Structures are given as C-alpha cells and as structure tokens.
Amino acid sequence: MTWRLGSTSWLLPGGWLDNSRIAADLVDDIELLFFDLSRPEFHPTETEIEGLVKLASERSLSYTIHAPTEGVDLASADETVRSRSVEAVGQAISLARRLSSDRVVLHVEPTPEENEARERSDWRRRATRSLEELLDTGLPPAAICVENTTDDLRAIGPVVRELGLSVVLDLGHLERDGH
C-alpha cells in the first residue's frame, strides 16, 4: 500500500492553479473540489486545466477529484434528481480523466428518515444503481471513493463492499462527530 499526503485545492483566495502551486510544495496529492459543476466559476478553465496537467508532471503530483455535492443525491427517490446527480458526477469523472486523476471522491448520504431500517433497503438499491452507472464510465471500482460525511458509511458500507469501491476517511468529519 502506498500513502500519499494530500490537501484540498483551496488554501487561499485565488484560482485553481494558484492554489495548486502553493500546495505542490507541501503535498503529494491535491484534492480538486468540484462542488458545483453547473456554474462555470466552480470548475477550471481550459488554461487552468493545461496548467494543472503541467504542474502535476513537473512536481510528480497526483490529483483526486471531489465530485459535486450541490444538489447531488445519488440515492434520491426522485428519478430525475438521481439521474441528474449521476450526470453531475460523470462530468467530474470526465474532468478527472483530463487531469490524469485516478480517484473520484463522492458523497452518498441517506436522509435521517432513509437511515431507518425500514427505508434503508430502497435507499441502498437506488445508491447501488447510481454507483453501477458511474462504473459504466469505465472507472475502476477502487477509483470511486465514498467519503464519510456523517455516520453514513454504516448505511452505504454494504454497497461499497459489494461493488469493490474505496472509502475516504475524512478525519475532520470524524472529529466533528466525536469519533
């Protein structure tokens, strides 16, 4: 197993490339935060993408892509929302390929109601369908990394194991939640 020290892409006010240049002196991997790809100001320009690719080559950096979270619900009971969510994460996967990234971090969170045992099986079925659709993009299963955002790993854990996905343990989330 190889360990690489990483950081998020937003350290100081500035652009994608400016922040990545700062982080490149401190870390091996930069997590590019694409929280809302529906708005152009929330994803890099062509010039920035070219600069990020060049920076990675020069500094032996890797990038991890954080898929959109704004309005994204991969296990939504509303088929339109679920489908749009898969599309938004698919857009992040496309950006990841352009940046030679081999990992995409995403959230799959049940609502408190869905976390109840009687609702969990339907929620897992919808989550599984979305994640299988994302696997259809050709991304290897281990490259899809489900992040702990609350206690949701208990709910999504069986799906992660079944599909061979990875987990991202966010230490800040663990600390916040008293674990």
Side-chain angles (χ1 to χ4, degrees), residues 106-117:
L106 49 82
H107 298 178
V108 187
E109 307 171 58
T111 64
E113 298 78 26
E114 289 167 328
N115 211 13
E116 294 296 320

Side-chain angles (χ1 to χ4, degrees), residues 115-167:
N115 211 13
E116 294 296 320
R118 67 182 181 280
E119 301 293 333
R120 198 176 280 186
S121 63
D122 288 341
W123 178 85
R124 277 195 188 124
R125 181 183 44 74
R126 294 188 304 268
T128 300
R129 181 173 173 208
S130 293
L131 293 166
E132 287 173 338
E133 289 175 21
L134 292 170
L135 288 170
D136 287 344
T137 66
L139 203 60
I144 295 178
C145 309
V146 178
E147 182 177 3
N148 65 306
T149 54
T150 58
D151 284 337
D152 54 87
L153 284 181
R154 286 185 220 162
I156 195 67
V159 177
V160 169
R161 281 189 296 280
E162 175 187 331
L163 297 178
L165 309 180
S166 296
V167 169

Side-chain angles (χ1 to χ4, degrees), residues 20 27 29 49-50 67 75 78 82 85 108 114 154 165 168:
S20 294
V27 298
D29 183 85
I49 289 173
E50 290 169 13
D78 180 326
R82 191 200 65 77
S85 297
V108 187
E114 289 167 328
R154 286 185 220 162
L165 309 180
V168 170

Side-chain angles (χ1 to χ4, degrees), residues 4-5 16 20 25 55 74 76 81 83 91 114 119 122 127 130 140 154-155 157 164 172-173 176-177 179:
R4 295 179 58 82
L5 181 63
W16 296 91
S20 294
D25 291 332
L55 181 65
L74 290 168
S76 177
V81 171
S83 181
Q91 187 180 1
E114 289 167 328
E119 301 293 333
D122 288 341
S130 293
R154 286 185 220 162
H173 293 164
R176 177 197 66 204
D177 297 336
H179 299 291

